[in-house]
Amino acid sequence: MTTPATLKTWVHTLRHEAQDIISVDLRPVTGTALPAFTPGAHIDLHLPGDLVRSYSLCNEAGATDRYVVGVLRDRASRGGSRAVHEQLRIGQSLTISAPRNHFPLDESAAHSVLVAGGIGITPLLCMACRLSQLGRSYEVLYFARSRGAAAFTQVLQSLGARVHWHFDDEAGGAPDLKALLAQRKAEGTHFYACGPTPMLDAFEASCAELGLAHAHLERFSAKPVADADDAQTHYRVELRKSGLTFEVQAGQTLHEKLIELKVDVSWSCEEGICGSCETRVLEGQVDHRDMVLTPAEQAANKAMMVCVSGCKSERLVLDL
Ligand code: FES
């Protein structure tokens, strides 16, 4: 049976988890079950005001009776986190997407280090639950501005997780991430990070400098990716299913053209980090500018994020 693109749920619980963070517990409509998910997965919430936003699932993987997401009220919100905090009500129905996972957990690793910055704890909490359940070796590096801003600390404690806590206000500044990673460098260890952009940039740079072979990260906000040197400024696009053909001219983007032509694409972040707009590529060479596909997936050229990516060939044929 194929999973439908969207699912009907209702808001069962809204819970204060930490300063500016609430959890939203969603249940399926009576008599149905939600698709099982794996650690690291996220879903899109279709919020009031026609907003679609992605959030990581943080409850126990495999659950089909509920999905839980944690949402930080973002001061720089484009409307998504404000809609969750101010407009969701218990009992309200909410359309969501089926889970997607671009941040999978390797359950066979000898040891896993989960590096969480603030609300970045959400996908890692789900991983910690799973690793505890499997009896695998893991630890959590949890960084937050203060104790009051750190969500789900009690869940981690109830799992018996080994946690290295770092609160900026108590420590007098940010952690020395490279030193913490270096102390944990060992054959077969996998490192996972989720959190704010500066932390993830430092994680990426530190892992490269330390030669950590198994480093994985998930971004909540995009890092700008420049166009490739051989990117086309003008190219032709064919949409195989809808039969549309159009040109992307210099100064335009594929994203703008698809919106202008009202092509049915599932938009969410529109900045190449959530995977919602992933589209099959049938012909042509993509200039990948997303944070979702791995370098190997980008090189395979079988799919693209049409919200940010461009084209290196004169023609692009998409399965839309
Ligand atoms: S809409 Fe999120 S990756 Fe394109």
Side-chain angles (χ1 to χ4, degrees):
M1 196 174 76
T2 54
T3 302
T6 58
L7 307 163
K8 298 278 180 218
T9 64
W10 61 281
V11 180
H12 179 274
T13 312
L14 295 169
R15 212 176 105 102
H16 172 85
E17 299 290 353
Q19 187 186 342
D20 288 334
I21 297 176
I22 60 170
S23 62
V24 183
D25 182 334
L26 298 167
R27 305 289 169 102
V29 292
T30 314
T32 64
L34 297 166
F37 63 95
T38 50
H42 64 269
I43 55 171
D44 294 335
L45 305 188
H46 292 242
L47 296 164
D50 278 341
L51 296 170
V52 182
R53 293 290 183 269
S54 298
Y55 297 98
S56 296
L57 291 164
C58 59
N59 58 311
E60 60 287 359
T64 57
D65 61 338
R66 66 180 195 137
Y67 289 161
V68 182
V69 295
V71 181
L72 169 72
R73 182 196 290 271
D74 182 356
R75 301 289 165 203
S77 171
R78 290 180 294 148
S81 72
R82 198 177 320 127
V84 171
H85 276 253
E86 295 176 9
Q87 293 184 47
L88 286 193
R89 295 285 178 269
I90 291 168
Q92 182 176 340
S93 59
L94 194 68
T95 298
I96 64 170
S97 72
R100 295 187 298 275
N101 197 345
H102 298 288
F103 190 41
L105 174 69
D106 184 336
E107 298 180 350
S108 65
H111 182 65
S112 301
V113 179
L114 313 178
V115 185
I119 190 64
I121 187 63
T122 49
L124 302 173
L125 185 68
C126 182
M127 291 184 180
C129 289
R130 179 66 180 156
L131 292 166
S132 286
Q133 187 186 44
L134 293 172
R136 308 294 302 188
S137 169
Y138 76 98
E139 65 188 302
V140 182
L141 308 183
Y142 194 158
F143 313 143
R145 283 178 285 111
S146 64
R147 280 177 201 274
F152 307 115
T153 55
Q154 286 178 355
V155 182
L156 284 171
Q157 279 158 356
S158 69
L159 290 174
R162 178 151 45 109
V163 184
H164 172 93
W165 305 100
H166 178 101
F167 302 112
D168 292 349
D169 62 345
E170 295 174 22
D176 184 345
L177 181 53
K178 188 173 169 190
L180 291 167
L181 295 174
Q183 288 159 13
R184 290 160 176 83
K185 180 177 177 178
E187 185 78 21
T189 295
H190 281 242
F191 296 83
Y192 299 83
C194 187
T197 302
M199 186 198 98
L200 294 181
D201 290 346
F203 174 81
E204 237 176 358
S206 301
C207 290
E209 284 168 34
L210 295 167
L212 302 179
H214 307 294
H216 319 268
L217 60 83
E218 181 163 72
R219 291 184 182 273
F220 284 157
S221 54
K223 182 176 159 186
V225 178
D227 299 5
D229 291 342
D230 53 349
Q232 298 283 341
T233 52
H234 177 188
Y235 54 95
R236 187 169 186 75
V237 180
E238 271 179 53
L239 305 183
R240 189 59 57 81
K241 279 189 197 139
S242 43
L244 284 173
T245 301
F246 58 88
E247 310 272 330
V248 176
Q249 310 273 4
Q252 289 183 318
T253 64
L254 175 60
H255 177 222
E256 287 165 354
K257 288 296 292 184
L258 292 170
I259 288 186
E260 182 188 312
L261 296 167
K262 298 191 170 44
V263 179
D264 185 19
V265 176
S266 169
W267 305 113
S268 177
C269 71
E270 299 181 76
E271 49 182 4
I273 53 172
C274 75
S276 179
C277 69
E278 182 167 350
T279 298
R280 251 179 8 115
V281 177
L282 303 176
E283 285 176 49
Q285 278 302 317
V286 178
D287 177 20
H288 293 282
R289 299 167 199 157
D290 64 275
M291 304 275 120
V292 176
L293 301 174
T294 63
E297 288 167 335
Q298 292 188 346
N301 200 56
K302 295 227 167 27
M304 71 183 289
M305 301 304 141
V306 288
C307 63
V308 288
S309 295
C311 184
K312 292 180 176 176
S313 49
E314 289 176 3
R315 181 168 163 266
L316 190 60
V317 184
L318 300 175
D319 189 25
L320 280 174

